[in-house]
Amino acid sequence: MTILARLEFYMHSEDDPAVLSKIEFDGVPVTELTREKAGEMYPDWTGDEVMWLKYGLEYKYDLNFDMTSGQMTKFTVEREYDVDWSGDQS
């Protein structure tokens, strides 16, 4: 299995609430998306106080949160593909 698709979204460098309130994650402004809120939105996910994960058949989702503020700091989604890298074109 090889990861060919990966998206990461970091929010470490932006702290202006006016900018962050314009960014939504699944319909919720990221300024309101805390670890607690993610637990309510995605009850079948697993994790701890700084991570909330979902391993599906095709995708892996990962939400990361700041321990102090509880705010989301990173979102990652990746998909693994079974790819033949032999290069044989015969």
Side-chain angles (χ1 to χ4, degrees), residues 10-80:
Y10 290 90
M11 300 187 328
H12 295 291
S13 61
E14 183 59 65
D15 58 3
D16 182 354
V19 173
L20 292 174
S21 65
K22 295 177 184 177
I23 303 169
E24 293 185 355
F25 184 86
D26 210 2
V28 176
V30 295
T31 53
E32 297 174 19
L33 189 56
T34 62
R35 169 58 188 83
E36 182 178 343
K37 179 72 174 175
E40 294 171 12
M41 292 172 62
Y42 311 108
D44 61 331
W45 293 30
T46 61
D48 57 25
E49 65 273 358
V50 294
M51 282 190 312
W52 204 229
L53 306 167
K54 173 69 172 179
Y55 294 95
L57 295 175
E58 297 180 354
Y59 293 92
K60 173 189 170 202
Y61 303 92
D62 180 358
L63 298 174
N64 290 260
F65 300 89
D66 182 81
M67 281 186 73
T68 306
S69 69
Q71 294 299 125
M72 187 172 81
T73 57
K74 182 176 103 173
F75 165 71
T76 305
V77 63
E78 63 185 41
R79 178 169 179 175
E80 294 185 357

